[in-house]
Amino acid sequence: MAVDYTVIVLYLAGMLAMGWWGMRRAKSKSDFLVAGRRLGPAMYSGTMAAIVLGGASTIGGVGLGYQYGLSGAWMVFTIGLGLLALSVFFSARIARLKVYTVSEMLDLRYGGRAGVISGLVMWAYTLMLAVTSTIAYATIFDVLFDMNRTVAIILGGSIVVAYSTLGGMWSITLTDMVQFVVKTIGVLLLLLPIAVVKAGGFSEMKAKLPTAYFDPLGIGGETIFTYVLIYTFGMLIGQDIWQRVFTARNDRTAKWGGTVAGTYCLVYALAGAVIGTAAKVMYPKLGSPDDAFATIVKDELPVGVRGLVLAAALAAVMSTSSGALIACATVANNDIWSRLRGGLGRRSGEARDEDAHDEVRGNRVFILIMGVAVIATAIALNNVVEALTVAYNLLVGGLLVPILGGLLWKRGTVHGALASVVVGGLTVIGLMAAYGILANEPVYYGLLASLGAYLVVSLATPATDAAVLAAWRDRLAGRAPEPVSEPVPAAQ
């Protein structure tokens, strides 16, 4: 394993080095949080694909392939569909808003007062998303070094926190590009063909496995529908995804770069399912489907290649973890803490040049604080699937309707948005307690309750002020001047 260890150590050292290099570029709040809004198509596509394809998409995607065959691709496939929908229909308008968070968008659209409540829901989502990615370090480092779970989480989490804190989005962008390349080589170009060959080819796989393993809908229609609700719609509104859209150089980059990334996700989904299906042929009696990835890598790959593929798994986890971490810190600082302490009263025209350093330092401190919280929570929790389900149920049940409603329906009001967030969120929480975290009912009924509250309350309250809607339309069209320091409007 010496060669494999060397590959992994060099990879981790490279991540820290890029964090240090990124620190030199992060000279303003815009640089630190959204990479200066300067990413071109190639870098934007790579980093967007990197963040959406994390440990759940890699290790979990292979596990679903092991359990269900080719239809196990549906979870990651719906992620790709969501990214395609976001890129084609919404990303250009989102990029033109020139904001930092989803809650800022809600304030612009509805005229304030939605920020703190929506920020709390988004913060809970990004926190749990970062936690699930951090827990996955334990699986990978256990394969690599037979390491204690807590030590593995602290080691992997500390590296991500370090490079994210140093350079913010610039560091994360640079590391994500490396992680994208490593994932492409490790999973698509190496592990996929090797797994199929080791399993005897597709003909041997079909001969040894039940026909259901090659049924595109074998995983079940209800499961696919739930994946669409949670992951496809989740891609449309997540702060971690929107924050990457904000990094695009222009709306064309956001649209077409995201379309390329979404298409890549569809290919990655099928690859994971095929690898898992091949693992089922070679290891028909594994204790857990999620062990399929680690087992096939450990037993079937040659020295050096094994290290690269494990680095690919580590890259998948790190990209999602770092993206969720900076999103969590951005929401905590800009949408919650800054509003609660009343520090957002100064408008853009009153911003001072010397504030830039303080803004970077403040966001850097929040990344460090949230990073410590994520590591501590990951150590305390064991069930990744439950944590991820809680995150997406809250996100979709609480925020999908007011966000899409704000983009698509001009009659929606701030009171309708607030009612939608509160009713949808409470319904999801109550039904998870009643039916269980992994049940489908919470997101189904939570989404319906959120939609009902939004429509009824919006129609029962005065329409949004014409001046607010006019300013909103100007921002959507890119006609409004970009703010100097782009602060969030104060809560009213």
Side-chain angles (χ1 to χ4, degrees):
M1 293 287 288
V3 175
D4 297 326
Y5 291 162
T6 301
V7 172
I8 297 296
V9 170
L10 288 174
Y11 169 77
L12 294 176
M15 296 300 99
L16 290 174
M18 289 190 178
W20 183 261
W21 188 86
M23 181 177 67
R24 301 172 61 186
R25 300 200 63 169
K27 300 182 183 300
S28 69
K29 179 180 178 180
S30 179
D31 288 334
F32 193 81
L33 295 182
V34 290
R37 308 187 196 273
R38 294 200 297 270
L39 298 193
M43 188 167 283
Y44 178 86
S45 297
T47 57
M48 182 63 87
I51 188 176
V52 300
L53 297 173
S57 300
T58 303
I59 299 171
V62 171
L64 287 172
Y66 182 90
Q67 188 173 3
Y68 298 104
L70 298 186
S71 66
W74 273 105
M75 183 187 77
V76 183
F77 201 82
T78 56
I79 291 174
L81 291 178
L83 186 52
L84 284 172
L86 174 70
S87 302
V88 172
F89 299 112
F90 299 109
S91 63
R93 285 185 286 175
I94 292 171
R96 288 195 292 264
L97 289 175
K98 302 296 183 185
V99 295
Y100 290 109
T101 69
V102 174
S103 294
E104 290 182 49
M105 167 263 166
L106 292 173
D107 271 353
L108 283 171
R109 166 60 182 82
Y110 294 112
R113 295 181 298 199
V116 173
I117 294 177
S118 61
L120 286 170
V121 175
M122 189 63 76
W123 175 80
Y125 157 73
T126 54
L127 178 71
M128 297 307 291
L129 185 62
V131 166
T132 58
S133 302
T134 304
I135 291 174
Y137 295 129
T139 302
I140 299 171
F141 282 109
D142 178 57
V143 175
L144 286 171
F145 308 116
D146 192 25
M147 187 178 290
N148 174 271
R149 178 183 182 276
T150 299
V151 175
I153 289 173
I154 292 174
L155 175 60
S158 296
I159 293 171
V160 170
V161 171
Y163 72 70
S164 300
T165 302
L166 286 172
M169 188 59 83
W170 268 122
S171 293
I172 292 171
T173 296
L174 295 171
T175 54
D176 276 0
M177 278 304 298
V178 174
Q179 289 157 359
F180 171 74
V181 172
V182 171
K183 276 193 287 194
T184 301
I185 296 173
V187 175
L188 297 185
L189 302 183
L190 292 177
L191 184 57
L192 175 60
I194 290 174
V196 172
V197 170
K198 292 282 186 178
F202 286 104
S203 58
E204 188 70 13
M205 290 163 63
K206 287 185 177 181
K208 290 187 175 181
L209 294 173
T211 305
Y213 266 71
F214 301 92
D215 180 359
L217 303 178
I219 198 170
E222 184 178 356
T223 298
I224 294 171
F225 180 67
T226 302
Y227 284 159
V228 170
L229 277 185
I230 293 177
Y231 297 114
T232 301
F233 287 125
M235 287 297 106
L236 297 179
I237 58 175
Q239 169 67 26
D240 53 323
I241 310 301
W242 277 40
Q243 199 156 344
R244 294 309 172 97
V245 175
F246 300 152
T247 66
R249 179 185 301 161
N250 50 47
D251 53 6
R252 182 178 176 84
T253 296
K255 181 175 182 178
W256 295 110
T259 301
V260 171
T263 304
Y264 178 91
C265 292
L266 304 183
V267 175
Y268 199 88
L270 183 59
V274 171
I275 293 167
T277 304
K280 183 67 175 180
V281 173
M282 291 182 278
Y283 309 99
K285 296 183 179 180
L286 289 178
S288 168
D290 286 341
D291 293 337
F293 181 89
T295 302
I296 196 171
V297 169
K298 193 172 185 179
D299 294 349
E300 303 297 336
L301 299 186
V303 173
V305 174
R306 179 172 51 204
L308 183 59
V309 173
L310 286 172
L314 196 58
V317 174
M318 283 187 158
S319 57
T320 300
S321 181
S322 58
L325 175 60
I326 193 171
C328 180
T330 302
V331 171
N333 187 15
N334 290 267
D335 292 337
I336 301 174
W337 172 246
S338 292
R339 295 169 188 267
L340 292 178
R341 69 183 174 87
L344 295 176
R346 188 173 62 239
R347 299 299 185 188
S348 58
E350 298 169 338
R352 302 189 306 266
D353 292 339
E354 59 265 30
D355 288 341
H357 176 71
D358 289 340
E359 288 179 334
V360 171
R361 183 177 60 186
N363 282 289
R364 187 172 279 141
V365 168
F366 265 85
I367 290 180
L368 182 60
I369 293 171
M370 291 299 107
V372 173
V374 165
I375 292 172
T377 307
I379 292 172
L381 293 179
N382 288 313
N383 195 310
V384 178
V385 176
E386 288 190 358
L388 193 63
T389 301
V390 170
Y392 274 98
N393 281 352
L394 283 173
L395 177 70
V396 174
L399 290 179
L400 177 67
V401 171
I403 291 172
L404 293 188
L407 289 169
L408 301 173
W409 190 42
K410 67 179 182 179
R411 185 60 181 82
T413 68
V414 64
H415 302 291
L418 288 172
S420 179
V421 173
V422 173
V423 172
L426 291 178
T427 301
V428 164
I429 293 171
L431 292 177
M432 282 193 295
Y435 287 94
I437 290 176
L438 298 180
N440 293 327
E441 287 83 358
V443 71
Y444 292 169
Y445 297 121
L447 195 54
L448 288 174
S450 179
L451 177 60
Y454 183 71
L455 293 174
V456 171
V457 176
S458 289
L459 292 173
T461 53
T464 304
D465 185 85
V468 172
L469 288 177
W472 165 254
R473 287 192 293 270
D474 285 342
R475 289 291 284 267
L476 274 181
R479 293 191 294 267
E482 183 175 348
V484 175
S485 61
E486 302 174 78
V488 185
Q492 297 179 9

